[in-house]
Amino acid sequence: MRWFVFLFFLFFSLSFGQLKVVATYPWIGSLVKEIGKDKVSLYVIAKGTEDPHFVVPKPSHIAKLRDADLLIIQGAQLEIGFLPPLLQQSNNPRIQPGREGLLDLSQFVALIEKPASVSRAMGDVHPEGNPHYQLDPHNIPVLAKAVEKKLCELDKNNCAYYQTNLENFLSRWNTKLKEWDRDFEKLRSTRVIEYHKLYDYLLNRYGMVLVGTLEPLPGIPPTATHIEELLKTAQKVKYILQDVYHEKRTAQYVAKKLNAKMVVLPHDVGAVPEAKDLFSLFDEIVRRLSQ
């Protein structure tokens, strides 16, 4: 009994005063860990292996959101399919849109592929632009600073701690960024096809050429007609970029027809076992494209 009481008060003392943060995706959680460390209590809604567009809402998510001091989202309407009902049922005024307890990271980057107009005929197009901006490693320092600033706003007593962690993270990240830039430069002008428009920020940053997508329109599964048209026009394609959550048969078929290589790339922390954090996420992307 004494041991139980000791453990209870030890846990209470460690968790007391921590900022309660909920992140929608693992990569955001990884960033929060780097900046907040032991001063934050973190809960991540989605798994890295899930389709980020279609995360299943669960009662456990509602419970965590109800107690959250801060909710950090990817934004650009990526969470539109699951987050609104969770927010509504949480009954937590601190994290509602427009309140200080909600941080939308999409506000801090330049979104690409923003359509002039949107209609259902265009498929599952995001009206604010392509939301997968975390796959440009040059965006991460900007996002880290946004997280640090918000943690400081909500937890002023520990601001110096967050600033120190940010400086340490940026130093390590910028060192790795030089390494990644050098490795990705070798892939410049490489012609690729991707299943979904998931890796466009990475391709744009490093000058890889997107020949087409296996989806005829965003969010619309591949059709035989579309694939045959793609095979007629695609030339000198080296890689078919496949994510972890869509079916792989189509990519394997196209790779065989084009004498290309299907490469399964992680899109998030935890998407593959090797991608344990943000650093190893990009290490693994480089490794898989360099094989």
Side-chain angles (χ1 to χ4, degrees):
M1 179 61 71
R2 291 177 182 174
W3 182 245
F4 175 79
V5 172
F6 171 76
L7 289 177
F8 174 81
F9 281 105
L10 177 62
F11 174 79
F12 183 79
S13 64
L14 289 174
S15 60
F16 181 75
Q18 286 182 316
L19 203 64
K20 296 177 182 177
V21 181
V22 174
T24 48
Y25 299 109
W27 74 267
I28 300 175
S30 181
L31 198 56
V32 172
K33 287 179 185 177
E34 291 284 352
I35 311 303
K37 295 189 182 296
D38 61 341
K39 300 299 183 184
V40 303
S41 172
L42 175 68
Y43 180 79
V44 178
I45 291 177
K47 294 181 176 65
T49 52
E50 288 184 288
D51 183 338
H53 305 82
F54 301 108
V55 177
V56 179
K58 298 178 181 178
S60 57
H61 302 334
I62 298 171
K64 291 295 184 179
L65 287 168
R66 183 174 294 125
D67 294 333
D69 299 304
L70 173 62
L71 169 63
I72 307 181
I73 68 174
Q74 189 148 339
Q77 297 195 23
L78 183 58
E79 295 99 339
I80 195 68
F82 68 91
L83 188 58
L86 291 176
L87 273 178
Q88 183 179 16
Q89 294 178 62
S90 74
N91 293 317
N92 183 348
R94 295 187 296 272
I95 61 172
Q96 301 299 320
R99 300 298 296 269
E100 66 174 3
L102 176 64
L103 178 62
D104 181 347
L105 293 179
S106 69
Q107 298 176 349
F108 300 94
V109 297
L111 298 178
I112 63 175
E113 300 166 6
K114 188 177 297 187
S117 61
V118 177
S119 71
R120 293 185 65 85
M122 299 168 65
D124 187 19
V125 172
H126 295 275
E128 296 178 20
N130 188 315
H132 305 293
Y133 53 80
Q134 83 277 10
L135 290 172
D136 178 352
H138 284 260
N139 281 338
I140 299 300
V142 175
L143 301 173
K145 292 174 186 176
V147 170
E148 178 269 336
K149 181 179 179 181
K150 178 57 69 173
L151 293 180
C152 279
E153 287 178 7
L154 298 180
D155 186 15
K156 295 180 175 61
N157 290 336
N158 289 312
C159 187
Y161 178 78
Y162 300 137
Q163 290 173 340
T164 298
N165 292 342
L166 173 66
E167 291 170 4
N168 180 270
F169 171 77
L170 291 179
S171 176
R172 290 183 291 124
W173 191 265
N174 288 332
T175 298
K176 288 294 292 185
L177 200 55
K178 294 176 183 177
E179 178 184 320
W180 294 325
D181 284 350
R182 182 178 66 250
D183 291 337
F184 277 123
E185 181 62 29
K186 300 172 185 176
L187 296 166
R188 184 169 295 277
S189 300
T190 299
R191 296 169 64 83
V192 304
I193 291 172
E194 58 183 344
Y195 192 108
H196 177 73
K197 293 183 72 63
L198 187 57
Y199 304 103
D200 293 43
Y201 285 89
L202 184 73
L203 303 181
N204 284 2
R205 169 62 63 181
Y206 295 109
M208 288 177 268
V209 179
L210 179 61
V211 175
T213 60
L214 300 184
E215 292 179 329
L217 294 168
I220 306 300
T223 63
T225 300
H226 171 71
I227 295 303
E228 291 309 312
E229 287 299 319
L230 183 62
L231 291 174
K232 290 178 183 177
T233 57
Q235 296 180 355
K236 298 180 180 179
V237 174
K238 185 173 182 179
Y239 294 126
I240 311 298
L241 305 183
Q242 172 71 40
D243 55 71
V244 301
Y245 54 85
H246 281 117
E247 52 85 16
K248 298 179 176 60
R249 294 186 305 276
T250 304
Q252 291 168 341
Y253 172 79
V254 172
K256 184 176 181 180
K257 287 289 185 179
L258 295 178
N259 195 28
K261 181 178 181 180
M262 186 189 81
V263 180
V264 178
L265 289 185
H267 68 287
D268 201 343
V269 171
V272 297
E274 297 88 347
K276 301 180 186 304
D277 56 22
L278 276 169
F279 289 92
S280 54
L281 170 64
F282 286 99
D283 280 341
E284 188 61 16
I285 290 174
V286 168
R287 189 186 73 81
R288 294 188 179 214
L289 287 174
S290 301
Q291 289 180 334

